[in-house]
Amino acid sequence: MPDMSSLSILLLNEGGHIAGSTMSVFSLAVHLRERGHDVTVGRSANEVLDQRLAAAGFARPALDFASLGALATSLGRLVAGTHFDVVNSQATRDRRACVWLRWRGQLAPAFVVTRRTM
């Protein structure tokens, strides 16, 4: 069981442009870090978000969101090479990639899904 006072958290963000969901991921990252957690934001190519994350000092590995297979591959590599206590999926494609990796035994951290659709 991880020390709940400080977690290593991977937030996933597929957004290719600045939108409410993209900005809420950034805000969540900031607030989680302020509470003492180590936060990484796995993201697609998003110049504005990347600039904000860089300016705020976040680890921000680029993931390949071009297809489900490409995302599962790039996400699987990231998770295999880095310790995360929690992975938080924010969109459909990254949720599906996480589920695929979990089924294959390649996603060990706790997996949280944030649904943004009605």
Side-chain angles (χ1 to χ4, degrees), residues 32-70:
L32 286 169
R33 185 173 62 188
E34 287 174 354
R35 291 184 174 261
H37 301 295
D38 178 26
V39 179
T40 298
V41 181
R43 41 96 191 151
S44 64
N46 179 325
E47 187 175 317
V48 175
L49 179 61
D50 190 49
Q51 290 171 354
R52 287 180 181 219
L53 291 168
F58 284 99
R60 55 195 201 291
L63 298 172
D64 186 352
F65 282 86
S67 68
L68 180 58

Side-chain angles (χ1 to χ4, degrees), residues 15-115:
H17 57 282
I18 291 299
S21 60
T22 303
M23 296 314 299
S24 73
V25 169
F26 178 76
S27 180
L28 179 60
V30 168
H31 291 286
L32 286 169
R33 185 173 62 188
E34 287 174 354
R35 291 184 174 261
H37 301 295
D38 178 26
V39 179
T40 298
V41 181
R43 41 96 191 151
S44 64
N46 179 325
E47 187 175 317
V48 175
L49 179 61
D50 190 49
Q51 290 171 354
R52 287 180 181 219
L53 291 168
F58 284 99
R60 55 195 201 291
L63 298 172
D64 186 352
F65 282 86
S67 68
L68 180 58
L71 178 56
T73 298
S74 62
L75 180 57
R77 284 187 194 127
L78 175 62
V79 171
T82 310
H83 170 77
F84 294 109
D85 298 307
V86 178
V87 174
N88 178 214
S89 165
Q90 298 280 326
T92 300
R93 186 168 292 164
D94 50 75
R95 180 181 70 246
R96 289 178 179 166
C98 286
V99 168
W100 173 254
L101 291 171
R102 178 62 57 95
W103 282 344
R104 296 177 53 91
Q106 297 173 323
L107 184 68
F111 170 41
V112 177
V113 174
T114 300
R115 294 288 303 222

